[in-house]
Every structure is written in C-alpha cells, then in structure tokens.
Amino acid sequence: MRVGDTLPPLEIEITRTLIVAGAIASRDYQDVHHDAELARQKGSPDIFMNILTTNGLVGRYITDRFGPRSVLRRVAIRLGAPNYPGDTMVLTGTVEEVEGDTATVRVVGANGIGRHVTGTVTVTVPGADGAEGAAGTEGAEGAAAQGAGSRP
C-alpha cells in the first residue's frame, strides 16, 4: 500500500434484482426501491438503488482488493446520480494516505449519467506495515510453512 496506488476498476451491472434485493436485505421498504410505478409517480424514471446497498458495494470493492484479513474502519460516502436498472456502475479507488497498516482510499463509483458515489474508506490490513508480510496476505506456501513448524 502506497500513496497514489490505484485499485483496479470493478464493474457492477445494476439490475432490478440487485436493487430490490439490496433494499430488502437492508430492510429499506421504501417503494422507490422496488415498485417502478410508484417510483414514476414520485418523479423518478424507475426504481433506484438505496444508499445501504451502495455502501455494501463500496465495502466489497475495498475488501476484495485488500483481502479477507482487511478490516473496514470507516466508510464515508455521498450519493450523486442514481443507479437505475440497466446501467453499469464502475468503482475506482486511489490510496490517499497510509499510516502503518492502515490506508485511506478515495472511492468513486460512476454510471452512465454521472458519479453515483464518492467518498473515502479507511481500511486496516494486518501486517501491511511489514510486520506480517506484504499487504497482510500470504500465499499457500507461507501458510503451510508457518503451520509446519507448529505441528507435533
């Protein structure tokens, strides 16, 4: 982890199922997240993704990049252009700050009509400061070698 590192982009297809499932999973039963006709009556062209689903997708983006040992410390996001069914959101990230095994990553998620989400995520990766290996991850060989010394 170094300041200026960029994360590979993640493309997420925005489907009606993703929007509705995210709303249900987060117990957000507002009709604009599952009923297209009621969403239109309220001035929206279709249903749209809720902030809790977006928050989860941003978290997934970071933990997928930094690995299963990473811990999200802070997620601070702001929504912009809605995510409607049929679009694709592309998440990108840039490491802005690194202190020991903790990094702050600037995240942007853009869709066909603009920026859907912007914000920062603070993530800790145990061992990323060099104490336990690069980026806090170890390959199968390292895990096997470490475990081999402790077996009877």
Side-chain angles (χ1 to χ4, degrees):
M1 295 187 301
R2 288 190 273 288
V3 172
D5 284 354
T6 58
L7 282 59
L10 174 64
E11 291 188 10
I12 299 170
E13 289 185 42
I14 307 303
T15 64
R16 195 167 297 282
T17 300
L18 174 62
I19 293 169
V20 173
I24 291 170
S26 60
R27 298 181 180 179
D28 183 347
Y29 303 116
Q30 291 187 41
D31 51 24
V32 294
H33 303 308
H34 65 84
D35 188 317
E37 184 55 38
L38 289 175
R40 282 186 203 93
Q41 287 176 17
K42 292 181 178 181
S44 179
D46 205 338
I47 63 172
F48 54 90
M49 184 175 285
N50 71 353
I51 192 169
L52 296 171
T53 303
T54 300
N55 197 60
L57 292 171
V58 167
R60 168 195 162 194
Y61 176 57
I62 297 298
T63 58
D64 280 0
R65 166 57 180 92
F66 289 98
R69 295 177 63 202
S70 60
V71 178
L72 299 178
R73 299 294 180 186
R74 182 172 185 266
V75 178
I77 61 171
R78 172 177 236 136
L79 293 184
N83 268 340
Y84 293 117
D87 208 342
T88 299
M89 178 175 64
V90 179
L91 290 167
T92 57
T94 304
V95 177
E96 288 191 324
E97 183 180 328
V98 176
E99 186 174 322
D101 61 358
T102 301
T104 300
V105 181
R106 160 86 32 212
V107 176
V108 174
N111 60 33
I113 57 176
R115 287 185 173 184
H116 170 67
V117 63
T118 56
T120 58
V121 178
T122 303
V123 59
T124 298
V125 184
D129 60 357
E132 296 179 33
T137 61
E138 48 185 27
E141 301 84 22
Q146 188 177 29
S150 62
R151 292 188 184 147

